[in-house]
Amino acid sequence: MTASALTRPGERERLVVKFGQIDWTLIVLLCLIAAAGGMMLYSIAGGAWEPWAAKHLIRFGLCLLLMLALAVVDLRIWFALAYPIYGLAFLLLMAVEVVGHRSLGATRWLQFGPLGVQPSEIMKIGLVLALARFYHGLPAPRAKWSWNLLIPAAMIGAPVLLVAKEPDLGTAILLAATGGAVMMLAGLSVRAIVAGLAAVAAAIPPFVMFVLKPYQRDRILTFLHPETDPSKSGYHILQAKIALGSGGVLGKGFGLGSQSQLNFLPEKQTDFIFATLAEEFGLVGCVAMLALYAAVIIIALRIANVSHSHFGRLSAAGITATFALYVMINGAMVMGLAPVVGVPMPLLSYGGTVMLTVMVGFGLVQSVRVHRYSEVGRGAGLI
Amino acid sequence: MTQPTIFFSEVNERQATFHRRAFVMGGLVGVGLAALGVRLFQLQVVENDRYKSLSASNQFNFRLVLPPRGRILDRNGVELASNRPNFRLLLLKDEAPDVEATLAEVSKLIPITPERARQIRRDLRDGPKFVPVSLAEDLNWDDFARINVRSAELPGVEADMGEARVYPFGGAFSHVIGYVSKVSDADVKRAGPNPDPMLLNPGFRIGKQGVEKALDLELRGKPGGQKVEVDSRGRVVREDPMGDIKPTPGKEVVLTLDADVQNRALEVFGEDSGAAVMMDCRSGDLLCLYSAPSFDANSFASGLTTAEYQALANYDHKPLFNKALTANYPPGSTFKTLVALAALEKGISPSTVHVCNKAWAWGGRVWHCDEAHGALDMKGAIAKSCDIYFYQLALQIGGPDPIAAVARQFGLGHVFDIGIPGQKPGIVPDLAYKRRNFPRDPVWHPGETPSVGIGQGYVSVNPLQLCVQAARLANGVRAIEPRLIHAIGGVVQPSGAAAPDLPFAKENIDFVRAAMAAVVTSGTAAGSANLGLGPVMMAGKTGTAQAHTYAGGHGQHGATGAWAGRDHAWFIAFAPYDDPRYALSVLVEHGGFGAEAAAPKAREIMRVALLKDPQVRARIERPLPMPAMPATPPGQRPEGAEPEPPTDIVAATPGKTA
């Protein structure tokens, strides 16, 4: 296919051409990460496909198909659906408050027949889309510093508060940080960024002491002094550090991680799967894994950069920011650098909801790439 | 597209900002990932050793392997306490899905009594989660094998071979050796903040009485470890035989006791209550330390039912009580030996004569004797055990203090270091005692002295003390100390022979010894204390100690009336008379007259010790020359045909019941 062929009107609308424009390197990297996850899940099940590894890979396959389908959805449709998706997610978050399904002391789920829906996950996509759409229509000076910025601040703040109230501190932090990243990318003044970060830093201690629930506060205080209580809250942190540290440079070998195999490591298949990887494959395996994540982030950011529309740029970069935050928060948590807040390692950890969110997100990123030359109107109305 | 220029410039400005900011964001992510990498390097390379050992201590555990408890032997190497294999059945709680079904299945194979089943359920409910519960102990091989074969059908049931304590002689040594039993909460608390991990093992038994308790730490040994791989819930995943640590067996304890002598004591006491203590009067080694009646220590080791324990605890002969050490009895006439010595040391002549008319009026009261002995010198008064003589002799001495000083030199009122707990010192009264203990009447009245002269009143002793008294009289030179523990783990304990000399004139001690010989040849114990071993003769002293005041029908003299009201019978002795080797004290609680109840028992126990002694045996078996005939040949007064003259009286001294 020649470049001239692509310039032919309507040529880019052809499905075959669209599939050709998908970034297949990104897909290969995502497949590698998911495969590593499947391998670790196989190992910690004592060398068995059940109960985790097989489901993990099947889910990934289905999510991959969904991603490919979303990749060819026209960016203008994403643009048109940005506010409705955000609105729907917001309504569902409110509904969780009223009729949510309680599990493990937190209300995060809505039950639709057999289907359990976590509105906070929809909000992760919805927030990025809505912010990208809002900034798409905002001139640069106003994006830098103006009264208009109260709107994105409210768009971020409202769902963050609702999610934090569930309580799901990890997701709330993720949403707030993603929103902040999009505002930063859209051109928020450096002064405002610095002031905002300072305000957040100053607000953390009183927030921890007075707003958090006791178990959340315990997690954070335990993180600061894990030795004080090695049998209860500090147990996760300590055991994860033992798993990581005992792995050494080359690791204990596939299926030979005593910390995870003998169940000393808690949540080994979900939040702490990176510790299992670290134990069995050592520093070499960890660095290779982080390199895979870095490559995904670089490619996704490059896709954002080549987009001709502001909406495309901001939505792709927003999704990338979410993904990077997942990786960094989980990594820091597993390595004892951050409190245990319940953020999984994307595509590596077992769990369908987060995988679905991440793959839908990358569907959006791929769509931005496929439709990088598309003109997106300023979109005066809601749709 | 109406204002393309403005539109594009605006777009370009936004695009440029985005590019810059995206670059910054990429950089921040890079910094973040690099920080994670540094942290990984720190944990996995720099601190790798530390976490490796933490991981290993998570992964591996040492399952406690109990050491065999040290054996307890007698002086000749006869086992008094040892261990035997114990086939038992354990139930691992977390591996038995349905405990009740398993119990029902097991009870089809071996009988489980309802009481046992209750106990098992209680253990299952209260015990720690991963500590197995014992279903049955001491299975015979057939039952053990049958359950082993069917183990696949009995989830969580494990056949196990442990060790159990066994006391081959049953009751003969129970008071000295004690017994072992399950560890109680109090034992764990007593062990302090870091109790020996063995204490928490269900198979471990702790010493509860006697030597087992006193030397528990030595007998225990050091636990070994079986290296096992465990999961986070502490369950064993794999075993690693290469990493096992062998347990160190407990130390072997050798006692000075002689199983034959002790067993003979058990036999002669039968159902009677009392105690017998025998000592080597040259070395101080205790050959016999028996309290009657006894109990089977084996039943304590395997666990008594409440009913069994109640039966022992409520029996009026008090089998759980070590009468050789803990009980305190008036010594009665055995005390006259020391009163006589005190008199001699005071310069009172042994030829002093007092006349006994069976009753003697002094101090506004009438004092009694068993019979009218007539005129007696000191030797005759000891031999016939005349109370009226000794009332007067005590008054002649002039008070309790000189008598108490002599009594203390012979071990009365003293607690000896024999290595096991539970001795009571008793009372050796003197002026200071009265002052200390009777604040309302701190003055010693002259009327209290005659009672002390016949070993009544405040005087109280235990059989061990009287044995030491007899042994020191027999030794004549040194104040030897009793010794029970001969060696611990091959280390011989200090002997009781290295003791200071007795501060008495030799001729005075010899006089008392001669008088004690006369007790057996012509005195109160003539006949009943005859060894029948030819030239080897015994010397001794009878005692019939008033247990209650006879006023008000509480008690009666001799072996009549209600058991608990009768007199205590004593006999102290040493033999051979001319070359003393063994000293003995025998107490028969509420046995009546010393010559009737205690002396024959003493004779039988002494015979065993003498016949085991090769030198004594050589003397007996030598045919010539014929020994001098005793003054009263045996058989002339057949035992029991005519009662021996009662020895003691019974001074009605109000408020001085022993």
Side-chain angles (χ1 to χ4, degrees):
Chain A
M1 198 176 294
T2 60
S4 60
L6 278 174
T7 56
R8 204 165 1 160
E11 180 66 18
R12 289 179 182 279
E13 301 304 315
R14 284 179 55 210
L15 210 54
V16 180
V17 176
K18 279 192 173 186
F19 275 117
Q21 293 300 309
I22 288 174
D23 192 320
W24 292 98
T25 318
L26 181 61
I27 287 174
V28 169
L29 289 172
L30 293 177
C31 287
L32 283 175
I33 294 171
M39 189 173 74
M40 291 324 301
L41 291 169
Y42 178 84
S43 165
I44 57 173
W49 292 105
E50 293 299 330
W52 302 303
K55 270 192 209 152
H56 181 79
L57 293 177
I58 290 167
R59 277 180 195 159
F60 179 73
L62 294 173
C63 286
L64 196 64
L65 292 178
L66 178 65
M67 187 191 90
L68 292 174
L70 293 174
V72 295
V73 171
D74 197 296
L75 200 57
R76 278 166 294 206
I77 296 177
W78 285 106
F79 183 83
L81 290 177
Y83 285 151
I85 290 174
Y86 177 87
L88 177 71
F90 193 79
L91 286 175
L92 288 175
L93 273 179
M94 303 253 277
V96 162
E97 274 301 302
V98 185
V99 292
H101 178 75
R102 284 192 73 80
S103 144
L104 296 172
T107 315
R108 298 172 184 175
W109 294 83
L110 277 180
Q111 205 68 37
F112 291 102
L115 204 65
V117 175
Q118 229 173 322
S120 58
E121 293 298 322
I122 303 174
M123 184 51 88
K124 282 174 190 165
I125 305 291
L127 181 63
V128 169
L129 283 172
L131 288 172
R133 166 155 191 183
F134 174 80
Y135 277 111
H136 182 76
L138 200 68
R142 290 206 204 155
K144 197 173 180 206
W145 187 245
S146 72
W147 290 111
N148 298 49
L149 293 186
L150 283 177
I151 295 168
M155 282 162 81
I156 299 164
V160 165
L161 286 177
L162 279 174
V163 172
K165 198 167 174 297
E166 282 181 358
D168 185 352
L169 194 59
T171 306
I173 291 171
L174 210 64
L175 283 173
T178 304
V182 174
M183 287 181 80
M184 191 270 283
L185 289 164
L188 186 64
S189 87
V190 176
R191 251 186 246 172
I193 293 170
V194 171
L197 287 176
V200 168
I204 284 175
F207 178 75
V208 167
M209 294 323 289
F210 303 115
V211 181
L212 285 187
K213 297 216 178 337
Y215 84 93
Q216 293 172 319
R217 183 161 54 236
D218 283 350
R219 276 189 193 174
I220 288 166
L221 295 178
T222 314
F223 156 70
L224 295 173
H225 303 286
E227 298 78 14
T228 52
D229 187 14
S231 61
K232 288 179 190 163
S233 315
Y235 183 80
H236 289 210
I237 299 171
L238 186 66
Q239 294 300 336
K241 274 160 86 173
I242 292 174
L244 275 159
S246 63
V249 177
L250 294 173
K252 295 176 181 171
F254 181 63
L256 299 174
S258 60
Q259 284 289 107
S260 38
Q261 303 288 342
L262 299 172
N263 285 324
F264 288 102
L265 195 62
E267 308 281 333
K268 55 180 181 178
Q269 77 279 17
T270 55
D271 290 0
F272 283 89
I273 195 158
F274 192 78
T276 308
L277 180 99
E279 188 184 20
E280 298 196 350
F281 293 99
L283 184 65
V284 172
C286 289
V287 170
M289 201 69 223
L290 290 180
L292 281 178
Y293 281 115
V296 167
I297 291 163
I298 289 167
I299 288 173
L301 275 182
R302 210 185 60 199
I303 289 172
N305 269 338
V306 297
S307 173
H308 282 203
S309 66
H310 204 50
F311 172 75
R313 282 193 285 270
L314 285 177
S315 53
I319 295 297
T320 311
T322 309
F323 185 76
L325 282 165
Y326 264 122
V327 175
M328 286 190 293
I329 292 176
N330 180 273
M333 179 179 105
V334 168
M335 295 174 204
L337 294 173
V340 178
V341 286
V343 173
M345 194 58 117
L347 302 182
L348 201 64
S349 293
Y350 181 77
T353 316
V354 173
M355 180 185 274
L356 185 65
T357 310
V358 167
M359 292 304 277
V360 168
F362 279 110
L364 173 56
V365 172
Q366 294 283 21
S367 170
V368 170
R369 180 183 154 88
V370 170
H371 306 99
R372 59 188 177 277
Y373 300 119
S374 302
E375 294 288 344
V376 179
R378 299 188 74 162
L382 274 178
I383 298 185
Chain B
M1 296 268 199
T2 44
Q3 292 169 300
T5 321
I6 299 164
F7 184 83
F8 277 117
S9 75
E10 193 185 33
V11 165
N12 285 344
E13 190 191 337
R14 293 198 308 187
Q15 192 175 7
T17 308
F18 177 84
H19 284 316
R20 267 199 319 277
R21 293 283 171 95
F23 188 77
V24 169
M25 191 182 102
L28 287 175
V29 171
V31 168
L33 291 178
L36 293 185
V38 169
R39 174 67 170 171
L40 281 171
F41 183 83
Q42 184 201 356
L43 289 174
Q44 299 192 298
V45 179
V46 180
E47 296 181 13
N48 177 234
D49 287 344
R50 180 173 153 234
Y51 288 113
K52 239 187 201 158
S53 69
L54 280 174
S55 162
S57 71
N58 260 349
Q59 183 182 3
F60 295 108
N61 218 330
F62 280 94
R63 192 151 60 172
L64 200 73
V65 177
L66 293 178
R69 194 173 173 86
R71 294 189 305 163
I72 301 175
L73 308 176
D74 88 337
R75 62 195 295 123
N76 301 313
V78 177
E79 279 184 348
L80 306 181
S82 61
N83 307 304
R84 59 171 167 75
N86 172 17
F87 297 114
R88 52 185 194 157
L89 215 56
L90 301 177
L91 181 65
L92 306 170
K93 268 191 260 183
D94 54 322
E95 287 178 23
D98 182 353
V99 171
E100 285 302 321
T102 310
L103 272 183
E105 200 62 35
V106 170
S107 59
K108 280 184 207 158
L109 298 170
I110 53 162
I112 294 178
T113 61
E115 191 174 352
R116 181 86 194 136
R118 261 200 304 282
Q119 165 102 41
I120 291 167
R121 285 191 194 100
R122 193 167 56 232
D123 289 351
L124 283 168
R125 195 179 59 235
D126 301 338
K129 203 171 171 207
F130 293 101
V131 171
V133 169
S134 161
L135 290 181
E137 304 268 340
D138 285 328
L139 293 172
N140 61 40
W141 176 250
D142 288 344
D143 286 341
F144 187 71
R146 191 159 62 234
I147 291 196
N148 247 341
V149 167
R150 308 255 324 252
S151 60
E153 303 155 41
L154 302 166
V157 175
E158 192 179 275
D160 173 75
M161 207 182 86
E163 274 194 331
R165 197 65 159 166
V166 62
Y167 303 101
F169 292 105
F173 295 89
S174 300
H175 294 102
V176 185
I177 291 182
Y179 50 87
V180 295
S181 177
K182 276 187 180 169
V183 181
S184 67
D185 291 343
D187 293 326
V188 178
K189 265 197 207 106
R190 212 175 298 123
N194 286 311
D196 188 329
M198 283 196 287
L199 291 180
L200 307 173
N201 187 291
F204 184 73
R205 296 287 181 273
I206 193 169
K208 288 285 188 185
Q209 292 287 334
V211 175
E212 294 272 34
K213 181 180 186 178
L215 299 179
D216 190 52
L217 291 178
E218 281 86 354
L219 290 164
R220 266 185 209 175
K222 291 214 162 51
Q226 189 184 12
K227 194 179 181 189
V228 289
E229 192 176 342
V230 294
D231 67 8
S232 63
R233 296 170 63 204
R235 286 198 302 201
V236 173
V237 181
R238 262 182 297 276
E239 294 182 357
D240 177 11
M242 299 302 288
D244 289 358
I245 298 169
K246 289 255 176 303
T248 312
K251 287 179 186 161
E252 199 162 81
V253 171
V254 180
L255 303 182
T256 59
L257 297 179
D258 187 311
D260 293 330
V261 178
Q262 183 103 357
N263 277 316
R264 186 65 181 141
L266 173 103
E267 285 165 20
V268 299
F269 264 95
E271 285 300 303
D272 285 347
S273 175
V277 183
M278 182 187 273
M279 244 170 103
D280 185 316
C281 42
R282 292 163 302 177
S283 67
D285 284 357
L286 289 161
L287 276 82
C288 173
L289 192 67
Y290 177 67
S291 174
S294 193
F295 56 90
D296 186 358
N298 291 308
S299 60
F300 274 78
S302 57
L304 282 179
T305 64
T306 314
E308 284 170 328
Y309 182 80
Q310 285 301 327
L312 284 171
N314 295 336
Y315 183 34
D316 65 353
H317 283 35
K318 296 196 164 50
L320 298 176
F321 206 49
N322 188 355
K323 299 180 185 89
L325 303 179
T326 62
N328 289 282
Y329 303 91
S333 298
T334 61
F335 198 63
K336 287 170 182 167
T337 53
L338 302 180
V339 177
L341 187 60
L344 295 170
E345 289 287 319
K346 264 243 151 180
I348 297 166
S349 165
S351 53
T352 306
V353 173
H354 292 288
V355 179
C356 167
N357 292 320
K358 205 179 175 188
W360 175 62
W362 179 83
R365 227 183 26 232
V366 177
W367 303 73
H368 297 275
C369 192
D370 282 344
E371 59 178 282
H373 291 105
L376 289 169
D377 63 1
M378 200 184 286
K379 187 171 180 179
I382 293 175
K384 297 291 182 190
S385 201
C386 176
D387 287 346
I388 288 177
Y389 187 96
F390 276 91
Y391 294 142
Q392 298 178 63
L393 191 62
L395 289 170
Q396 227 178 323
I397 291 168
D401 281 18
I403 300 171
V406 171
R408 290 205 184 90
Q409 287 295 333
F410 282 89
L412 273 54
H414 186 68
V415 169
F416 298 100
D417 177 21
I418 58 168
I420 60 173
Q423 287 178 63
K424 291 261 169 66
I427 299 162
V428 179
D430 54 13
L431 301 185
Y433 166 80
K434 186 79 194 286
R435 208 165 40 241
R436 232 181 6 255
N437 293 278
F438 296 86
R440 283 195 209 155
D441 181 22
V443 182
W444 186 274
H445 302 291
E448 291 170 322
T449 307
S451 304
V452 173
I454 60 159
Q456 293 282 165
Y458 302 117
V459 193
S460 76
V461 297
N462 66 41
L464 174 65
Q465 289 167 341
L466 284 201
C467 180
V468 171
Q469 178 199 325
R472 288 180 180 176
L473 281 171
N475 186 291
V477 181
R478 269 172 300 168
I480 52 163
E481 292 279 332
R483 177 174 75 158
L484 176 65
I485 315 288
H486 177 260
I488 301 169
V491 179
V492 177
Q493 304 297 298
S495 159
D501 285 357
L502 288 164
F504 303 111
K506 190 172 185 315
E507 62 266 26
N508 290 345
I509 293 181
D510 284 347
F511 173 83
V512 174
R513 285 160 43 147
M516 286 172 74
V519 169
V520 177
T521 51
S522 59
T524 50
S528 64
N530 194 314
L531 290 171
L533 294 176
V536 175
M537 305 272 290
M538 185 159 72
K541 179 72 193 85
T542 54
T544 304
Q546 186 186 342
H548 292 278
T549 173
Y550 300 148
H554 278 297
Q556 271 179 297
H557 196 40
T560 54
W563 180 78
R566 294 177 193 170
D567 294 340
H568 300 308
W570 279 107
F571 194 69
I572 63 170
F574 58 87
Y577 160 62
D578 47 358
D579 178 22
R581 280 161 190 266
Y582 305 107
L584 173 68
S585 72
V586 170
L587 163 74
V588 184
E589 197 183 27
H590 303 303
F593 294 113
E596 285 174 356
K601 290 184 170 66
R603 179 187 68 205
E604 292 306 315
I605 298 165
M606 187 64 92
R607 273 174 62 95
V608 175
L610 292 170
L611 287 170
K612 278 194 85 174
D613 188 315
Q615 282 168 297
V616 174
R617 225 190 145 91
R619 262 182 81 184
I620 297 164
E621 285 164 357
R622 193 168 53 200
L624 286 169
M626 285 293 285
M629 290 297 283
T632 313
Q636 199 177 334
R637 290 167 67 178
E639 239 179 275
E642 185 187 332
E644 293 298 309
T647 42
D648 285 59
I649 115 142
V650 202
T653 40
K656 289 176 192 167
T657 53

